[in-house]
Amino acid sequence: MGLLEGRIAIVTGAGRGVGRATAALLAKHGARVVLNDLDADVCDAAAAEIAAMGAQTLSVPGSVTDPDLPERLIADAVDAFGGIDILVNNAGFIWNSAAHNHTDEQFQAMLDVHVAAPFRVLRAFAAWMRPQAKREIEASGHARCRKVVNVSSVSGTQGAATQVGYSSAKAAVVGMTKTLAKEWGRYNVTVNAVAFGYLATRLTQGFGETPPTIDVAGKALRVGISNEATEALVAQTPLQRLGTAEDGAGGIFMLCIPQSDYVTGEVLTCSGGA
Ligand SMILES: NC(=O)c1ccc[n+]([C@@H]2O[C@H](COP(=O)([O-])OP(=O)(O)OC[C@H]3O[C@@H](n4cnc5c(N)ncnc54)[C@H](O)[C@@H]3O)[C@@H](O)[C@H]2O)c1
């Protein structure tokens, strides 16, 4: 029997990268998984691919920053599978530039996707979780252990040049995590964060002359890191390589399994030691 047999998980930003690897890993260990992503086609494809491995999945595409998405995501998960045990706030993107060039729109976009949206998803989760946990406590004396994992970054815990908006948002994720760990302990919900170092995904793809862009809400945003920067990062990393999406999923997974039921309010750095 899988470690997560009978568990129901939601993963945002699950169409590619760490989110997709996380959804696949949770499913491999027995969870039914609700996948969300801004890009409907990749979200549907990821859900179909994981379902083909024998898992039950549901695709709920949409931007986590849309005002009605959080309630819809929670309602769809409960309707489809009957509850929620694991919630991974992973969706996000980077929009980098030196601080003096950061626009208000750019700074706000980072706060919106990395803090405000996860907060709204968690608030929508609370509206279902609190009465449910109270019923469980009344019936058996204790609530089922539920898990929240919020994705932060070493940019938020240590700072990173060109990421003033992103690092501010990812630092706020840590405060939100620690606060909700205190509020929701009584409902047996653990709330933790993972702070990733550099993982080789679409956000950090290497480039030569021309930096790649990603399309977010009609904007082409520059992403990626130069080959020289990659080499410098690897040189500063004790494990001597960039992480993979699967390495990131592994960090999240550790906070989703029953063996971490007494761990809450923590930030797990997953950075190869960098
Ligand atoms: N890759 C890294 O080195 C690194 C380091 C630190 C933290 N992170 C964080 O890890 C998380 C996953 O990033 P990744 O590296 O897998 O990137 P990725 O680009 O490969 O995947 C991110 C996914 O999130 C989706 N997404 C973006 N905005 C969204 C929105 N508004 N609503 C729903 N989905 C949305 C994208 O479409 C994409 O599929 C992000 O929160 C990122 O900030 C990544």
Side-chain angles (χ1 to χ4, degrees):
M1 184 165 130
L3 272 177
L4 299 176
E5 213 63 54
R7 301 268 129 184
I8 297 146
I10 295 177
V11 183
T12 67
R16 53 171 81 75
V18 176
R20 186 174 184 142
T22 299
L25 187 58
L26 297 176
K28 185 178 157 194
H29 287 270
R32 285 170 279 175
V33 186
V34 179
L35 295 90
N36 153 267
D37 202 280
L38 177 66
D39 296 330
D41 51 348
V42 297
C43 194
D44 292 347
E49 196 177 293
I50 295 167
M53 292 162 30
Q56 287 184 57
T57 62
L58 176 72
S59 176
V60 182
S63 174
V64 289
T65 60
D66 283 354
D68 66 340
L69 188 280
E71 276 80 16
R72 186 156 58 83
L73 185 59
I74 299 301
D76 285 0
V78 173
D79 286 351
F81 297 137
I84 301 158
D85 299 300
I86 296 166
L87 175 51
V88 182
N89 272 310
N90 164 79
F93 60 93
I94 52 174
W95 189 354
N96 294 349
S97 70
H100 61 275
N101 289 327
H102 251 64
T103 62
D104 286 354
E105 182 195 11
Q106 182 180 4
F107 193 83
Q108 191 61 50
M110 292 293 91
L111 297 183
D112 286 347
V113 74
H114 292 292
V115 195
F119 161 68
R120 292 194 195 103
V121 172
L122 291 165
R123 188 174 55 188
F125 169 67
W128 171 81
M129 175 276 290
R130 289 175 68 258
Q132 176 66 25
K134 283 178 190 169
R135 280 193 293 276
E136 291 168 5
I137 292 165
E138 207 172 292
S140 68
H142 65 275
R144 189 176 167 96
C145 185
R146 297 187 167 86
K147 311 274 196 173
V148 171
V149 183
N150 296 319
V151 172
S152 183
S153 166
V154 294
S155 178
T157 56
Q158 300 173 21
T162 77
Q163 295 195 325
V164 69
Y166 180 77
S167 66
S168 300
K170 288 301 199 188
V173 167
V174 173
M176 182 167 70
T177 298
K178 288 176 180 284
T179 293
L180 292 184
K182 288 186 162 64
E183 288 194 15
W184 292 354
R186 72 184 64 181
Y187 305 116
N188 205 15
V189 178
T190 68
V191 187
N192 293 290
V194 282
F196 293 135
Y198 275 88
L199 308 176
T201 66
R202 184 183 65 152
L203 291 189
T204 52
Q205 58 194 283
F207 60 78
E209 293 291 300
T210 318
T213 57
I214 60 170
D215 182 42
V216 178
K219 278 190 193 310
L221 303 178
R222 227 183 96 163
V223 294
I225 44 178
S226 68
N227 296 336
E228 300 76 56
T230 304
E231 280 167 25
L233 285 164
V234 170
Q236 291 160 21
T237 304
L239 290 181
Q240 301 187 346
R241 63 176 177 85
L242 296 187
T244 61
E246 288 70 28
D247 289 323
I252 292 171
F253 181 72
M254 289 163 69
L255 299 167
C256 294
I257 57 177
Q259 285 75 6
S260 62
D261 279 0
Y262 200 58
V263 177
T264 193
E266 296 295 335
V267 182
L268 175 71
T269 301
C270 179
S271 68

